[in-house]
Amino acid sequence: MLQIPFIRENKALVIERLAKRNIDATQSINDVITLDEDRRNLQTQLDTLKAESNSISKEIGNLFKSGKAQEANALKEKTTQIKEETKQLEQALNDKAEALSHLLYQLPNVPHESVPAGNTDEDNEEIFREGDIPTLVDGALPHWELAKKYDIIDFELGNKITGAGFPVYKGKGARLQRALIAYFLDKNTAAGYTEYQLPHLVNEASGYGTGQLPDKEGQMYHVTGDNLYLIPTAEVPGTNLFRDTLLNESDLPIGITGYTPCFRREAGSYGAHVRGLNRLHQFDKVEILRVEHPDNSYKALDGMVSHVKEILNELKLPYRILRLCGGDLGFTSALTYDFEVFSTAQDRWLEISSVSNFETFQANRLKLRFKNSEGKNELAHTLNGSSLALPRVLAGILENYQTKDGIKVPEVLIPYTGFDMID
Protein backbone atom coordinates (compact mmCIF):
# COMPACT_ATOMS: atom_id res chain seq x y z
CA MET A 1 0.00 0.00 0.00
CA LEU A 2 1.35 3.39 -0.95
CA GLN A 3 2.12 5.78 1.88
CA ILE A 4 -0.09 8.88 2.03
CA PRO A 5 2.76 11.33 2.81
CA PHE A 6 4.67 9.98 -0.20
CA ILE A 7 1.62 10.48 -2.44
CA ARG A 8 1.03 13.97 -1.07
CA GLU A 9 4.66 15.06 -1.48
CA ASN A 10 5.26 13.34 -4.85
CA LYS A 11 1.89 13.62 -6.58
CA ALA A 12 3.23 14.25 -10.10
CA LEU A 13 5.86 11.50 -9.79
CA VAL A 14 3.31 8.93 -8.57
CA ILE A 15 0.94 9.71 -11.47
CA GLU A 16 3.83 9.58 -13.95
CA ARG A 17 5.18 6.25 -12.67
CA LEU A 18 1.75 4.61 -12.47
CA ALA A 19 1.27 5.63 -16.11
CA LYS A 20 3.99 3.03 -16.86
CA ARG A 21 1.38 0.47 -15.81
CA ASN A 22 -0.98 1.99 -18.40
CA ILE A 23 -3.04 3.45 -15.57
CA ASP A 24 -4.31 7.03 -15.49
CA ALA A 25 -4.28 7.44 -11.72
CA THR A 26 -4.88 11.21 -11.69
CA GLN A 27 -8.41 11.03 -10.31
CA SER A 28 -7.55 8.34 -7.75
CA ILE A 29 -4.51 10.27 -6.50
CA ASN A 30 -6.54 13.48 -6.24
CA ASP A 31 -9.24 11.57 -4.34
CA VAL A 32 -6.63 10.17 -1.94
CA ILE A 33 -5.26 13.63 -1.20
CA THR A 34 -8.77 15.10 -0.74
CA LEU A 35 -9.93 12.27 1.52
CA ASP A 36 -6.76 12.56 3.58
CA GLU A 37 -7.27 16.32 4.00
CA ASP A 38 -10.88 15.74 5.06
CA ARG A 39 -9.78 13.02 7.47
CA ARG A 40 -7.12 15.24 9.04
CA ASN A 41 -9.56 18.14 9.38
CA LEU A 42 -12.10 15.89 11.07
CA GLN A 43 -9.39 14.54 13.37
CA THR A 44 -8.42 18.12 14.35
CA GLN A 45 -12.05 18.97 15.08
CA LEU A 46 -12.44 15.80 17.12
CA ASP A 47 -9.26 16.43 19.11
CA THR A 48 -10.39 20.02 19.82
CA LEU A 49 -13.81 18.83 20.95
CA LYS A 50 -12.34 16.17 23.22
CA ALA A 51 -9.97 18.70 24.74
CA GLU A 52 -12.92 21.02 25.40
CA SER A 53 -14.85 18.13 26.96
CA ASN A 54 -11.94 17.29 29.28
CA SER A 55 -11.59 20.94 30.28
CA ILE A 56 -15.32 21.23 31.07
CA SER A 57 -15.24 17.98 33.07
CA LYS A 58 -12.49 19.39 35.28
CA GLU A 59 -14.41 22.63 35.69
CA ILE A 60 -17.56 20.73 36.68
CA GLY A 61 -15.58 18.87 39.33
CA ASN A 62 -14.21 22.11 40.75
CA LEU A 63 -17.68 23.71 40.80
CA PHE A 64 -19.15 20.80 42.72
CA LYS A 65 -16.28 21.00 45.20
CA SER A 66 -16.98 24.68 45.62
CA GLY A 67 -20.67 24.04 46.27
CA LYS A 68 -21.79 25.57 42.99
CA ALA A 69 -24.05 22.68 41.97
CA GLN A 70 -26.37 24.81 39.81
CA GLU A 71 -23.51 26.07 37.63
CA ALA A 72 -22.03 22.56 37.48
CA ASN A 73 -25.32 21.05 36.26
CA ALA A 74 -25.62 23.72 33.60
CA LEU A 75 -22.20 22.75 32.28
CA LYS A 76 -23.18 19.06 32.34
CA GLU A 77 -25.81 19.85 29.72
CA LYS A 78 -22.99 21.27 27.61
CA THR A 79 -21.03 18.00 27.93
CA THR A 80 -24.08 16.03 26.69
CA GLN A 81 -24.13 18.18 23.58
CA ILE A 82 -20.39 17.72 23.10
CA LYS A 83 -20.74 13.94 23.44
CA GLU A 84 -23.30 13.89 20.64
CA GLU A 85 -21.09 16.07 18.44
CA THR A 86 -18.13 13.81 19.24
CA LYS A 87 -20.11 10.72 18.25
CA GLN A 88 -21.05 12.29 14.93
CA LEU A 89 -17.47 13.36 14.24
CA GLU A 90 -16.13 9.89 15.09
CA GLN A 91 -18.57 8.31 12.66
CA ALA A 92 -17.63 10.81 9.94
CA LEU A 93 -13.95 10.17 10.64
CA ASN A 94 -14.41 6.40 10.42
CA ASP A 95 -16.28 6.80 7.12
CA LYS A 96 -13.48 8.93 5.65
CA ALA A 97 -10.78 6.56 6.91
CA GLU A 98 -12.64 3.57 5.44
CA ALA A 99 -13.07 5.27 2.08
CA LEU A 100 -9.41 6.26 2.08
CA SER A 101 -8.26 2.75 3.01
CA HIS A 102 -10.47 1.20 0.32
CA LEU A 103 -9.01 3.51 -2.32
CA LEU A 104 -5.42 2.89 -1.23
CA TYR A 105 -5.94 -0.89 -1.41
CA GLN A 106 -6.91 -0.49 -5.08
CA LEU A 107 -3.73 1.37 -6.04
CA PRO A 108 -0.76 -0.74 -7.21
CA ASN A 109 2.83 -0.06 -6.29
CA VAL A 110 4.75 2.72 -8.00
CA PRO A 111 7.20 1.20 -10.52
CA HIS A 112 10.92 1.77 -10.03
CA GLU A 113 12.48 4.33 -12.38
CA SER A 114 14.24 1.53 -14.32
CA VAL A 115 10.97 -0.24 -15.24
CA PRO A 116 10.41 0.09 -19.00
CA ALA A 117 7.09 1.30 -20.33
CA GLY A 118 5.01 -1.31 -22.15
CA ASN A 119 1.68 -3.07 -22.35
CA THR A 120 2.33 -6.82 -22.41
CA ASP A 121 5.03 -9.43 -21.86
CA GLU A 122 6.22 -8.73 -25.41
CA ASP A 123 7.48 -5.36 -24.14
CA ASN A 124 9.66 -6.87 -21.39
CA GLU A 125 13.36 -6.09 -21.67
CA GLU A 126 15.83 -8.95 -21.96
CA ILE A 127 18.92 -8.09 -19.91
CA PHE A 128 20.83 -11.39 -19.72
CA ARG A 129 21.08 -14.76 -21.44
CA GLU A 130 23.13 -17.82 -20.49
CA GLY A 131 23.58 -21.35 -21.84
CA ASP A 132 23.51 -22.97 -25.25
CA ILE A 133 20.22 -24.30 -26.54
CA PRO A 134 20.84 -28.03 -27.10
CA THR A 135 20.25 -29.79 -30.38
CA LEU A 136 17.84 -32.61 -29.67
CA VAL A 137 17.74 -36.05 -31.23
CA ASP A 138 15.35 -36.74 -34.08
CA GLY A 139 11.88 -37.44 -32.79
CA ALA A 140 12.37 -35.38 -29.61
CA LEU A 141 9.18 -35.10 -27.58
CA PRO A 142 7.55 -32.42 -25.41
CA HIS A 143 7.56 -33.19 -21.70
CA TRP A 144 3.93 -34.33 -21.49
CA GLU A 145 4.68 -37.09 -24.00
CA LEU A 146 7.95 -37.95 -22.26
CA ALA A 147 6.06 -38.19 -18.96
CA LYS A 148 3.72 -40.75 -20.51
CA LYS A 149 6.47 -42.64 -22.33
CA TYR A 150 8.53 -43.15 -19.15
CA ASP A 151 5.49 -43.34 -16.81
CA ILE A 152 6.72 -40.59 -14.46
CA ILE A 153 3.77 -38.15 -14.44
CA ASP A 154 0.12 -39.10 -14.91
CA PHE A 155 -2.07 -36.16 -15.93
CA GLU A 156 -5.15 -38.28 -16.59
CA LEU A 157 -5.02 -39.89 -13.14
CA GLY A 158 -4.78 -36.44 -11.53
CA ASN A 159 -7.75 -35.33 -13.61
CA LYS A 160 -9.75 -38.32 -12.34
CA ILE A 161 -8.89 -37.66 -8.69
CA THR A 162 -9.34 -33.88 -8.72
CA GLY A 163 -9.49 -32.23 -12.14
CA ALA A 164 -7.30 -30.64 -14.76
CA GLY A 165 -4.11 -29.06 -13.44
CA PHE A 166 -3.46 -31.55 -10.61
CA PRO A 167 -0.85 -34.04 -11.91
CA VAL A 168 0.26 -37.22 -10.16
CA TYR A 169 4.03 -37.77 -10.03
CA LYS A 170 5.17 -41.41 -10.06
CA GLY A 171 8.35 -43.41 -9.53
CA LYS A 172 11.40 -41.58 -10.83
CA GLY A 173 9.22 -38.57 -11.59
CA ALA A 174 8.30 -38.24 -7.90
CA ARG A 175 11.92 -38.79 -6.84
CA LEU A 176 13.17 -36.15 -9.28
CA GLN A 177 10.57 -33.73 -7.93
CA ARG A 178 11.71 -34.42 -4.35
CA ALA A 179 15.35 -34.09 -5.41
CA LEU A 180 14.73 -30.65 -6.87
CA ILE A 181 13.02 -29.45 -3.69
CA ALA A 182 15.88 -30.71 -1.49
CA TYR A 183 18.52 -29.26 -3.82
CA PHE A 184 16.84 -25.83 -3.91
CA LEU A 185 16.47 -25.73 -0.13
CA ASP A 186 20.10 -26.77 0.37
CA LYS A 187 21.29 -24.05 -2.01
CA ASN A 188 19.18 -21.45 -0.24
CA THR A 189 20.22 -22.39 3.29
CA ALA A 190 23.88 -22.50 2.21
CA ALA A 191 23.41 -18.92 1.00
CA GLY A 192 22.26 -17.85 4.46
CA TYR A 193 18.48 -18.23 4.26
CA THR A 194 16.78 -19.79 7.28
CA GLU A 195 14.45 -22.64 6.36
CA TYR A 196 10.82 -22.51 7.50
CA GLN A 197 7.93 -24.95 7.17
CA LEU A 198 4.92 -22.74 6.60
CA PRO A 199 1.12 -23.15 6.74
CA HIS A 200 -0.58 -23.89 3.43
CA LEU A 201 -3.68 -21.89 4.36
CA VAL A 202 -3.78 -18.26 5.46
CA ASN A 203 -6.37 -15.92 6.88
CA GLU A 204 -7.76 -12.83 5.19
CA ALA A 205 -5.40 -10.45 7.02
CA SER A 206 -2.43 -12.34 5.59
CA GLY A 207 -3.83 -12.08 2.07
CA TYR A 208 -4.23 -8.32 2.47
CA GLY A 209 -0.80 -8.03 4.06
CA THR A 210 1.10 -9.22 0.99
CA GLY A 211 -1.32 -7.77 -1.57
CA GLN A 212 -3.00 -10.92 -2.92
CA LEU A 213 -6.22 -9.45 -1.58
CA PRO A 214 -8.17 -7.75 -2.92
CA ASP A 215 -6.18 -7.81 -6.20
CA LYS A 216 -6.16 -11.58 -6.83
CA GLU A 217 -9.18 -12.72 -4.83
CA GLY A 218 -10.68 -14.50 -7.86
CA GLN A 219 -7.46 -16.44 -8.42
CA MET A 220 -7.24 -17.90 -4.91
CA TYR A 221 -8.97 -21.00 -3.56
CA HIS A 222 -11.24 -19.86 -0.73
CA VAL A 223 -12.25 -22.19 2.10
CA THR A 224 -15.48 -20.38 2.81
CA GLY A 225 -16.48 -22.28 5.95
CA ASP A 226 -13.42 -21.00 7.80
CA ASN A 227 -12.71 -17.91 5.65
CA LEU A 228 -9.21 -19.19 4.88
CA TYR A 229 -7.30 -19.16 1.59
CA LEU A 230 -5.03 -21.82 0.08
CA ILE A 231 -1.72 -20.11 -0.56
CA PRO A 232 -0.77 -19.14 -4.15
CA THR A 233 2.89 -18.90 -3.06
CA ALA A 234 5.01 -19.25 0.09
CA GLU A 235 5.48 -15.50 -0.14
CA VAL A 236 2.14 -15.04 1.64
CA PRO A 237 2.70 -17.00 4.89
CA GLY A 238 6.45 -16.29 4.82
CA THR A 239 6.17 -12.51 4.65
CA ASN A 240 3.29 -12.48 7.13
CA LEU A 241 5.61 -13.96 9.74
CA PHE A 242 6.62 -10.31 10.22
CA ARG A 243 3.16 -8.71 10.21
CA ASP A 244 2.68 -6.21 13.08
CA THR A 245 6.36 -6.48 13.96
CA LEU A 246 8.80 -3.82 15.14
CA LEU A 247 12.38 -4.96 14.50
CA ASN A 248 15.65 -3.51 15.61
CA GLU A 249 17.90 -2.20 12.86
CA SER A 250 20.46 -4.80 13.97
CA ASP A 251 17.95 -7.56 13.09
CA LEU A 252 18.27 -6.68 9.39
CA PRO A 253 18.71 -8.23 6.95
CA ILE A 254 16.42 -11.24 7.40
CA GLY A 255 16.36 -14.04 4.82
CA ILE A 256 14.07 -17.06 4.92
CA THR A 257 13.31 -19.91 2.54
CA GLY A 258 10.54 -22.47 2.44
CA TYR A 259 9.01 -25.17 0.29
CA THR A 260 5.23 -25.26 -0.13
CA PRO A 261 2.69 -26.50 -2.61
CA CYS A 262 0.98 -23.57 -4.32
CA PHE A 263 -2.66 -23.35 -5.43
CA ARG A 264 -3.93 -21.03 -8.16
CA ARG A 265 -7.33 -20.99 -9.77
CA GLU A 266 -6.30 -18.86 -12.76
CA ALA A 267 -4.67 -21.84 -14.46
CA GLY A 268 -7.10 -23.85 -16.52
CA SER A 269 -7.18 -22.36 -19.99
CA TYR A 270 -6.53 -24.82 -22.78
CA GLY A 271 -4.23 -25.03 -25.79
CA ALA A 272 -0.76 -26.32 -26.61
CA HIS A 273 0.97 -23.50 -24.69
CA VAL A 274 -0.61 -24.61 -21.41
CA ARG A 275 -0.33 -28.37 -21.83
CA GLY A 276 1.35 -30.64 -19.33
CA LEU A 277 3.32 -28.83 -16.63
CA ASN A 278 3.15 -25.42 -18.32
CA ARG A 279 0.12 -24.26 -16.30
CA LEU A 280 -1.18 -25.99 -13.17
CA HIS A 281 -3.71 -25.42 -10.40
CA GLN A 282 -1.37 -27.09 -7.86
CA PHE A 283 2.40 -27.03 -8.09
CA ASP A 284 5.47 -27.08 -5.86
CA LYS A 285 7.77 -24.11 -5.31
CA VAL A 286 10.69 -23.14 -3.12
CA GLU A 287 10.73 -19.45 -2.21
CA ILE A 288 13.28 -17.02 -0.86
CA LEU A 289 12.16 -13.92 1.09
CA ARG A 290 14.07 -10.98 2.47
CA VAL A 291 13.35 -8.14 4.90
CA GLU A 292 15.86 -5.37 4.25
CA HIS A 293 16.87 -1.88 5.29
CA PRO A 294 15.61 0.51 2.56
CA ASP A 295 19.19 1.61 1.82
CA ASN A 296 20.22 -1.97 0.98
CA SER A 297 17.20 -3.51 -0.76
CA TYR A 298 18.31 -3.05 -4.37
CA LYS A 299 21.74 -4.49 -3.60
CA ALA A 300 19.86 -7.41 -2.00
CA LEU A 301 17.71 -7.75 -5.14
CA ASP A 302 20.84 -8.05 -7.26
CA GLY A 303 22.11 -10.70 -4.85
CA MET A 304 18.90 -12.70 -5.22
CA VAL A 305 19.17 -12.54 -9.00
CA SER A 306 22.77 -13.80 -8.82
CA HIS A 307 21.65 -16.62 -6.51
CA VAL A 308 18.99 -17.87 -8.94
CA LYS A 309 21.53 -17.57 -11.77
CA GLU A 310 23.88 -19.87 -9.88
CA ILE A 311 21.18 -22.52 -9.47
CA LEU A 312 20.31 -22.48 -13.18
CA ASN A 313 23.98 -22.58 -14.13
CA GLU A 314 24.42 -25.70 -11.99
CA LEU A 315 21.36 -27.29 -13.60
CA LYS A 316 22.93 -26.38 -16.97
CA LEU A 317 19.66 -25.14 -18.42
CA PRO A 318 19.59 -22.37 -21.04
CA TYR A 319 17.87 -19.33 -19.54
CA ARG A 320 17.34 -15.61 -19.89
CA ILE A 321 16.43 -12.76 -17.54
CA LEU A 322 13.79 -10.15 -18.33
CA ARG A 323 13.11 -6.82 -16.66
CA LEU A 324 9.32 -6.62 -16.62
CA CYS A 325 7.64 -3.64 -18.26
CA GLY A 326 5.00 -1.61 -16.47
CA GLY A 327 2.10 -3.41 -18.13
CA ASP A 328 3.38 -6.85 -17.03
CA LEU A 329 4.50 -5.83 -13.53
CA GLY A 330 2.75 -7.45 -10.57
CA PHE A 331 0.37 -5.33 -8.48
CA THR A 332 2.67 -5.16 -5.44
CA SER A 333 6.06 -4.97 -7.15
CA ALA A 334 8.28 -1.94 -7.76
CA LEU A 335 10.73 -3.93 -9.90
CA THR A 336 10.64 -7.56 -11.07
CA TYR A 337 13.10 -9.73 -12.94
CA ASP A 338 11.66 -12.85 -14.58
CA PHE A 339 13.80 -15.89 -15.30
CA GLU A 340 12.78 -18.04 -18.26
CA VAL A 341 14.21 -21.42 -19.23
CA PHE A 342 14.20 -22.47 -22.86
CA SER A 343 12.09 -25.51 -23.64
CA THR A 344 13.78 -26.98 -26.70
CA ALA A 345 11.07 -29.51 -27.52
CA GLN A 346 8.39 -26.79 -27.36
CA ASP A 347 10.66 -24.15 -28.96
CA ARG A 348 9.59 -21.52 -26.43
CA TRP A 349 10.64 -19.78 -23.23
CA LEU A 350 8.98 -20.84 -19.95
CA GLU A 351 8.91 -18.58 -16.89
CA ILE A 352 10.44 -20.35 -13.89
CA SER A 353 11.15 -17.53 -11.42
CA SER A 354 10.19 -13.98 -10.54
CA VAL A 355 12.46 -11.96 -8.25
CA SER A 356 10.90 -8.75 -6.95
CA ASN A 357 11.46 -5.76 -4.70
CA PHE A 358 8.25 -4.43 -3.16
CA GLU A 359 10.03 -1.58 -1.34
CA THR A 360 7.64 -0.39 1.45
CA PHE A 361 4.42 -1.43 -0.33
CA GLN A 362 3.89 -4.69 1.56
CA ALA A 363 5.52 -3.42 4.76
CA ASN A 364 2.99 -0.58 4.94
CA ARG A 365 0.12 -3.08 4.78
CA LEU A 366 1.87 -5.43 7.20
CA LYS A 367 2.94 -2.69 9.64
CA LEU A 368 6.43 -4.18 9.36
CA ARG A 369 8.83 -1.60 10.82
CA PHE A 370 12.25 -1.32 12.36
CA LYS A 371 13.70 1.18 14.81
CA ASN A 372 16.38 3.08 12.89
CA SER A 373 19.65 4.56 14.18
CA GLU A 374 17.81 7.75 15.17
CA GLY A 375 15.36 5.79 17.29
CA LYS A 376 12.47 6.40 14.88
CA ASN A 377 10.18 3.70 13.51
CA GLU A 378 10.68 3.18 9.77
CA LEU A 379 9.06 0.83 7.25
CA ALA A 380 11.29 -2.00 6.05
CA HIS A 381 11.58 -3.19 2.45
CA THR A 382 10.39 -6.69 1.50
CA LEU A 383 11.62 -8.83 -1.40
CA ASN A 384 10.87 -12.31 -2.66
CA GLY A 385 11.83 -14.71 -5.40
CA SER A 386 11.13 -18.20 -6.69
CA SER A 387 14.12 -20.40 -6.06
CA LEU A 388 12.60 -22.15 -7.92
CA ALA A 389 9.13 -23.04 -9.22
CA LEU A 390 9.30 -26.75 -10.03
CA PRO A 391 6.89 -27.54 -12.90
CA ARG A 392 8.63 -25.64 -15.69
CA VAL A 393 12.11 -26.43 -14.36
CA LEU A 394 11.11 -30.07 -14.49
CA ALA A 395 9.67 -29.59 -18.00
CA GLY A 396 12.94 -27.99 -19.09
CA ILE A 397 15.00 -30.83 -17.66
CA LEU A 398 12.85 -33.54 -19.26
CA GLU A 399 12.92 -31.89 -22.67
CA ASN A 400 16.48 -30.54 -22.79
CA TYR A 401 18.10 -33.64 -21.28
CA GLN A 402 16.30 -36.23 -23.41
CA THR A 403 18.39 -38.65 -25.46
CA LYS A 404 17.57 -41.65 -27.62
CA ASP A 405 18.26 -43.87 -24.60
CA GLY A 406 16.26 -41.92 -22.01
CA ILE A 407 16.38 -38.71 -20.02
CA LYS A 408 19.65 -37.81 -18.33
CA VAL A 409 19.53 -36.36 -14.81
CA PRO A 410 21.49 -33.10 -14.32
CA GLU A 411 24.78 -33.94 -12.63
CA VAL A 412 24.09 -31.71 -9.63
CA LEU A 413 20.88 -33.66 -8.86
CA ILE A 414 22.30 -37.20 -9.02
CA PRO A 415 23.31 -37.23 -5.30
CA TYR A 416 19.66 -36.37 -4.52
CA THR A 417 17.95 -38.77 -6.94
CA GLY A 418 20.25 -41.76 -6.59
CA PHE A 419 19.99 -42.39 -10.35
CA ASP A 420 21.41 -40.70 -13.42
CA MET A 421 18.91 -41.71 -16.11
CA ILE A 422 15.16 -42.00 -16.54
CA ASP A 423 14.58 -44.88 -18.94
Side-chain angles (χ1 to χ4, degrees):
M1 188 161 59
L2 298 177
Q3 298 177 71
I4 295 171
F6 179 79
I7 293 174
R8 196 167 54 238
E9 295 163 14
N10 301 277
K11 176 182 172 181
L13 175 67
V14 171
I15 292 171
E16 177 189 340
R17 293 278 181 85
L18 288 177
K20 284 189 173 185
R21 294 180 175 271
N22 308 307
I23 295 172
D24 182 358
T26 306
Q27 186 60 55
S28 294
I29 296 303
N30 286 333
D31 289 346
V32 166
I33 292 171
T34 299
L35 281 168
D36 182 53
E37 287 175 352
D38 292 345
R39 181 187 62 80
R40 288 189 293 158
N41 288 335
L42 285 168
Q43 186 65 61
T44 299
Q45 293 176 46
L46 184 61
D47 292 343
T48 300
L49 206 57
K50 285 182 175 180
E52 182 183 357
S53 178
N54 290 336
S55 176
I56 291 174
S57 294
K58 289 180 182 177
E59 189 177 350
I60 289 171
N62 292 332
L63 287 170
F64 273 123
K65 287 178 183 177
S66 303
K68 299 177 180 178
Q70 188 173 355
E71 294 178 37
N73 288 327
L75 279 178
K76 284 178 73 176
E77 293 180 11
K78 175 68 173 175
T79 60
T80 302
Q81 179 185 343
I82 289 175
K83 282 179 182 178
E84 183 57 36
E85 291 178 16
T86 298
K87 186 178 178 182
Q88 292 174 3
L89 277 174
E90 286 175 339
Q91 183 59 54
L93 183 63
N94 286 338
D95 290 345
K96 290 290 181 185
E98 241 179 65
L100 181 59
S101 178
H102 177 75
L103 186 53
L104 286 170
Y105 273 126
Q106 309 304 314
L107 285 172
N109 202 356
V110 172
H112 186 263
E113 61 184 359
S114 67
V115 171
N119 299 320
T120 68
D121 56 5
E122 295 181 357
D123 300 313
N124 294 333
E125 177 186 357
E126 182 176 327
I127 62 169
F128 184 83
R129 188 179 289 211
E130 180 78 17
D132 297 325
I133 295 173
T135 301
L136 299 183
V137 296
D138 291 339
L141 300 172
H143 70 269
W144 54 86
E145 292 187 25
L146 291 168
K148 188 171 185 178
K149 177 179 179 179
Y150 294 106
D151 196 26
I152 54 175
I153 307 171
D154 195 322
F155 295 99
E156 294 177 2
L157 192 56
N159 191 32
K160 181 181 80 170
I161 296 168
T162 309
F166 296 87
V168 173
Y169 299 85
K170 303 166 62 177
K172 286 186 175 180
R175 288 171 66 184
L176 180 56
Q177 182 90 335
R178 176 158 51 93
L180 281 166
I181 293 168
Y183 164 63
F184 292 154
L185 288 171
D186 283 352
K187 287 293 293 183
N188 296 345
T189 54
Y193 292 89
T194 302
E195 183 177 350
Y196 279 72
Q197 288 192 353
L198 299 162
H200 300 164
L201 292 100
V202 293
N203 55 31
E204 194 172 64
S206 294
Y208 273 93
T210 45
Q212 276 67 32
L213 298 176
D215 179 56
K216 292 182 172 62
E217 185 168 13
Q219 298 176 14
M220 296 174 71
Y221 284 99
H222 188 195
V223 183
T224 55
D226 300 292
N227 197 27
L228 296 174
Y229 293 85
L230 286 167
I231 60 171
T233 165
E235 170 198 343
V236 183
T239 311
N240 273 279
L241 293 171
F242 306 100
R243 176 155 46 92
D244 298 320
T245 299
L246 178 60
L247 301 167
N248 293 314
E249 191 167 11
S250 59
D251 295 328
L252 303 176
I254 296 171
I256 73 168
T257 185
Y259 151 70
T260 65
C262 304
F263 305 87
R264 299 186 184 180
R265 294 183 64 217
E266 86 273 19
S269 56
Y270 294 91
H273 66 293
V274 293
R275 289 190 66 181
L277 298 172
N278 290 351
R279 294 283 294 274
L280 298 175
H281 286 299
Q282 178 183 327
F283 61 94
D284 293 320
K285 184 152 67 86
V286 177
E287 200 83 356
I288 49 176
L289 311 166
R290 298 192 70 84
V291 180
E292 290 280 348
H293 190 289
D295 293 346
N296 302 328
S297 69
Y298 278 95
K299 182 179 178 181
L301 181 66
D302 290 341
M304 294 169 76
V305 168
S306 296
H307 178 68
V308 176
K309 274 185 181 180
E310 184 178 331
I311 292 174
L312 288 169
N313 288 338
E314 289 188 358
L315 289 172
K316 296 180 180 177
L317 289 170
Y319 69 94
R320 67 178 183 176
I321 303 175
L322 306 174
R323 182 188 285 117
L324 297 195
C325 71
D328 202 31
L329 194 65
F331 183 84
T332 55
S333 177
L335 177 62
T336 294
Y337 295 106
D338 267 9
F339 284 74
E340 296 182 338
V341 66
F342 192 76
S343 166
T344 308
Q346 298 179 68
D347 192 29
R348 61 190 296 261
W349 293 97
L350 302 174
E351 180 196 333
I352 45 86
S353 175
S354 288
V355 182
S356 303
N357 189 346
F358 307 107
E359 297 185 355
T360 60
F361 191 84
Q362 288 182 332
N364 194 27
R365 289 172 171 239
L366 294 160
K367 294 183 174 60
L368 167 52
R369 299 156 297 157
F370 68 96
K371 194 171 289 294
N372 64 25
S373 56
E374 298 175 354
K376 295 179 180 178
N377 294 345
E378 185 177 348
L379 289 173
H381 279 196
T382 61
L383 304 90
N384 92 277
S386 312
S387 180
L388 289 162
L390 272 76
R392 293 174 184 176
V393 171
L394 185 57
I397 290 172
L398 296 179
E399 294 180 3
N400 291 333
Y401 276 85
Q402 64 180 303
T403 71
K404 61 183 178 60
D405 299 317
I407 302 167
K408 290 182 178 179
V409 173
E411 185 178 352
V412 73
L413 294 179
I414 294 173
Y416 292 92
T417 59
F419 56 86
D420 60 7
M421 181 76 76
I422 297 173
D423 51 21

